Amino acid sequence: MDHMNPNTSGCLTCLDRAGFDYNAKEEVDRLLSQSMTELSFQERQMEQEDLHGVRPQLSEDAEMIQRLVDELDEHLNKLKAGTAYEAAESTDSAYVKSVDFRLMFLRCNEYDPQASAAHIVKFMDTKLKLFGKAKLVQDITLKDLDEDDREVVRNGHLQVLRGCDRSGRRIFLEYPALRSFKSLMNELRARFYIYMDGAKSPEAQHNGAVLVTYGVGTLRERLRGIGFVENAKVALSLPLRYAGLHLATDNLGHYVLLKGALAITPAKLRTRFKLHHGSHMECQYELNTYGMARELLPLTEDDEAILEYHLSWYNTRLLEEGGDGYVRWEESSNKQIDEPQPHDVLFGRKRSNTGNKRVRQLVAALSPEYDSAATKVRKRQIASSVVEEIQNTGGRFLMQPDGTDRWEEVPNLFARNKIMKHFQNQRRTSKSSASEGPSESDS
């Protein structure tokens, strides 16, 4: 597992000394230019069509799929000796030979059986290193992750966005500033899980996916490149066809990280890479030209990360995977609640419950401390203290799933982020309305 060494720490020493590595910028520019010139005119045209989402899809039929699967099997038989794929095949051949499994790789590799076979072998090797032999022949679920892995999934640094770009492609969004883990392996396993959830979608298989790394302002990378290359290797081993790779940043020092990532990126994929440098407004404008409207990005008006949909996605995954107890729908095990109690806090439309009023009072009282907090960690601690205060008085945080009349208790992490949103709203209110607390529209 040398290529996934958790002790890898990036290569930013040159930036510490000089402030900016011009050699890295020149190398990145050279790699991107060389990748494009190595393609024929027709290939360049196809890559640009893919990048802008105007490339037509190939049609499939049963005869074509069977022919490709048979050819894929022939190539796998030549490559599998001594690999994790061979171990998986000997354990449960039905899993690795299922048409759905193989189609993921064929579509990802534009129906090239030879490339798809090599990709499957690479994928299985990665899966073995991350999860062990026992997990090779099963889809990875939240149950297969430990609590530290799941915390990385929850923290929102990597999200599958609710909407697609204008070409119908799934968007994976990464906020570098939200990266946090106990060990790099926690992040690698979490990344595998999130990407594979998107890869199973027929839309992603047919249309490809877009990866956006958004590191502007307070959302910039803070871990100095730790695990950058290892994460890239995991991403490249998965059955996702990256139609576009976008880095939005206001820090030219990211060229050093790009140099390392591009060095292991297939030449053809480099042509789909775009660097957007500038302010929030400038980067969002450029992303919009590639079909990603501002409203798709989970950002507040102040360009802070929003985790609400991501947490909703996480809880949906739990429910579908039968993972009660793996994410604490705090002590409620996601049970139905027929009638909320007065001290409960009800999320949704305008509420006048006693618990909601108490939240507004606490937020108003703690707003000066919250606004003056120097770090996001401290802000989270203050918001968590509000959650704890409500729970200490017997209150719960409840919401109604869309289209239902039942109430369910939400996780503490979800409640905390809602409270942080209230603090943001409180800051915008005038002094004359401060005593009434934040808007009731969301609680």
Side-chain angles (χ1 to χ4, degrees):
M1 200 161 84
D2 293 339
H3 75 289
M4 292 181 187
N5 184 354
N7 296 318
T8 300
S9 59
C11 52
L12 299 186
T13 53
C14 52
L15 287 181
D16 294 334
R17 294 194 300 270
F20 180 67
D21 186 349
Y22 288 95
N23 290 332
K25 181 181 185 305
E26 291 177 2
E27 180 67 10
V28 167
D29 292 341
R30 184 191 67 79
L31 284 169
L32 294 177
S33 176
Q34 178 182 330
S35 300
M36 195 58 90
T37 57
E38 288 176 352
L39 300 179
S40 67
F41 174 79
Q42 184 178 7
E43 288 173 329
R44 286 199 297 272
Q45 183 86 3
M46 292 173 65
E47 293 305 306
Q48 289 302 304
E49 288 176 350
D50 222 359
L51 183 61
H52 290 277
V54 294
R55 187 172 174 182
Q57 292 182 17
L58 290 175
S59 59
E60 296 177 356
D61 58 59
E63 182 179 350
M64 166 194 170
I65 290 173
Q66 187 58 57
R67 174 177 57 79
L68 291 172
V69 167
D70 290 343
E71 291 181 29
L72 174 59
D73 199 48
E74 292 177 9
H75 289 292
L76 280 170
N77 287 334
K78 297 175 183 177
L79 296 174
K80 68 183 182 182
T83 67
Y85 173 82
E86 185 177 46
E89 186 181 51
S90 65
T91 303
D92 184 356
S93 62
Y95 180 86
V96 294
K97 291 188 175 183
S98 73
V99 173
D100 287 343
F101 177 80
R102 296 190 168 196
L103 266 178
M104 280 197 301
F105 292 89
L106 284 165
R107 289 166 177 162
C108 174
N109 291 280
E110 299 174 312
Y111 303 99
D112 181 334
Q114 185 172 1
S116 299
H119 198 162
I120 289 176
V121 170
K122 184 178 181 181
F123 169 80
M124 281 298 182
D125 285 342
T126 296
K127 194 173 183 182
L128 175 65
K129 289 165 184 172
L130 293 179
F131 300 100
K133 186 175 180 180
K135 307 293 185 184
L136 277 177
V137 291
Q138 65 181 62
D139 292 343
I140 300 300
T141 70
L142 288 168
K143 294 179 182 179
D144 301 309
L145 307 182
D146 64 28
E147 182 53 36
D148 292 334
D149 299 337
R150 291 190 289 272
E151 178 57 33
V152 178
V153 175
R154 286 192 294 263
N155 71 25
H157 85 284
L158 179 62
Q159 306 181 26
V160 186
L161 296 193
R162 182 195 299 267
C164 297
D165 69 3
R166 283 196 289 269
S167 301
R169 299 177 297 194
R170 298 298 298 271
I171 302 172
F172 293 89
L173 176 69
E174 182 161 8
Y175 287 137
L178 299 187
R179 291 183 67 206
S180 175
F181 46 82
K182 286 190 176 179
S183 78
L184 181 56
M185 287 298 290
N186 298 138
E187 184 174 63
L188 297 178
R189 286 191 286 262
R191 184 174 294 270
F192 182 101
Y193 173 80
I194 294 170
Y195 275 137
M196 284 305 297
D197 180 68
K200 295 172 188 173
S201 131
E203 293 82 11
Q205 293 177 26
H206 286 289
N207 301 329
V210 177
L211 174 59
V212 178
T213 301
Y214 194 92
V216 184
T218 60
L219 298 172
R220 274 187 215 139
E221 169 72 53
R222 296 177 184 174
L223 294 182
R224 302 176 60 78
I226 294 174
F228 192 83
V229 171
E230 289 86 350
N231 274 292
K233 287 182 175 179
V234 168
L236 292 172
S237 73
L238 304 180
L240 270 171
R241 183 170 64 83
Y242 300 100
L245 301 167
H246 299 264
L247 171 60
T249 180
D250 55 0
N251 179 11
L252 283 173
H254 281 149
Y255 271 104
V256 176
L257 299 180
L258 277 178
K259 177 182 174 183
L262 289 175
I264 63 168
T265 301
K268 191 174 182 180
L269 189 55
R270 290 181 204 148
T271 63
R272 302 175 190 175
F273 178 84
K274 291 296 175 184
L275 175 65
H276 311 291
H277 177 259
S279 65
H280 282 289
M281 182 179 293
E282 290 168 328
C283 288
Q284 290 166 19
Y285 175 82
E286 290 193 25
L287 289 172
N288 185 58
T289 66
Y290 287 91
M292 289 167 281
R294 167 65 173 80
E295 52 267 26
L296 282 176
L297 304 178
L299 292 167
T300 66
E301 293 178 0
D302 298 327
D303 291 308
E304 296 285 340
I306 296 174
L307 300 183
E308 182 175 345
Y309 171 70
H310 178 68
L311 293 174
S312 175
W313 165 85
Y314 181 74
N315 290 329
T316 299
R317 302 308 315 137
L318 276 174
L319 293 172
E320 292 184 356
E321 295 173 4
D324 55 335
Y326 288 93
V327 166
R328 310 292 173 183
W329 285 79
E330 297 299 325
E331 291 75 53
S332 70
S333 298
N334 196 32
K335 66 181 180 182
Q336 295 186 19
I337 298 168
D338 295 327
E339 190 67 33
Q341 300 303 306
H343 291 292
D344 292 335
V345 177
L346 311 181
F347 292 126
R349 293 175 296 178
K350 188 173 182 179
R351 306 290 181 185
S352 57
N353 224 37
T354 300
N356 292 66
K357 293 177 180 178
R358 180 59 178 153
V359 164
R360 292 192 286 274
Q361 292 169 353
L362 290 168
V363 168
L366 293 170
S367 278
E369 183 181 356
Y370 183 92
D371 291 340
S372 62
T375 66
K376 283 194 172 183
V377 171
R378 180 56 189 149
K379 290 180 184 289
R380 293 188 188 108
Q381 290 173 343
I382 296 169
S384 293
S385 73
V386 174
V387 174
E388 291 169 3
E389 177 66 22
I390 294 296
Q391 292 174 337
N392 288 340
T393 60
R396 300 165 295 182
F397 291 85
L398 310 179
M399 72 180 300
Q400 289 177 302
D402 292 342
T404 70
D405 294 324
R406 71 179 186 275
W407 291 92
E408 293 178 357
E409 190 171 2
V410 303
N412 276 356
L413 186 64
F414 185 95
R416 186 196 72 189
N417 282 284
K418 282 285 194 178
I419 298 301
M420 292 179 75
K421 184 175 180 181
H422 281 320
F423 276 112
Q424 294 167 6
N425 291 341
Q426 175 70 24
R427 188 171 62 240
R428 298 188 185 101
T429 60
S430 64
K431 289 185 178 180
S432 61
S433 62
S435 61
E436 299 175 6
S439 168
E440 296 181 9
S441 62
D442 208 35
S443 68

